[in-house]
Amino acid sequence: MANSQRFNFPKTVLFGITALYIVLMLATYFLYFKEPVIVCAKRMLTAQAIALVFQVVLNYISYHSKKKIVILAALFISAMLFLGALSAFFNLGLMCELYGF
């Protein structure tokens, strides 16, 4: 499969979301990797790392695809996964207190 020069904007957005995952992982480490919620932060970093690997796979599929539906589906899946990770980031302290980890 050759690289397609079409649909550059969605592909660029996918790579941008990958960069946002890295920023989110760094923010999780620096903000939450402290004693009261360190166990939850470790689990969150593990989940974010798995999501980042999945994001890289989506980037690869999107980069080599020539079909618009595949690229847009990868963009949708990527955006939903990132929004889930972002909401978990903002609610990490509450979830950790609620479930008592």
Side-chain angles (χ1 to χ4, degrees):
M1 296 177 118
N3 180 20
S4 173
Q5 295 299 321
R6 297 177 65 196
F7 315 119
N8 281 332
F9 182 71
K11 293 177 183 181
T12 305
V13 171
L14 278 171
F15 283 106
I17 291 174
T18 305
L20 287 175
Y21 267 117
I22 294 170
V23 169
L24 187 66
M25 289 178 74
L26 290 173
T28 301
Y29 180 77
F30 287 118
L31 294 177
Y32 287 118
F33 213 74
K34 296 180 177 113
E35 189 52 44
V37 292
I38 195 165
V39 175
C40 294
K42 287 180 183 178
R43 291 179 182 172
M44 178 65 72
L45 283 172
T46 304
Q48 288 173 350
I50 292 169
L52 181 63
V53 169
F54 193 65
Q55 176 67 32
V56 169
V57 170
L58 286 174
N59 283 348
Y60 179 80
I61 291 169
S62 173
Y63 186 73
H64 290 290
S65 178
K66 293 181 181 179
K67 296 184 179 184
K68 185 177 183 179
I69 190 69
V70 173
I71 296 168
L72 293 178
L75 182 62
F76 177 76
I77 292 168
S78 176
M80 291 299 111
L81 285 175
F82 180 73
L83 289 175
L86 189 64
S87 68
F89 170 77
F90 284 120
N91 294 318
L92 183 65
L94 178 67
M95 289 189 315
C96 195
E97 289 177 15
L98 186 65
Y99 293 117
F101 291 118

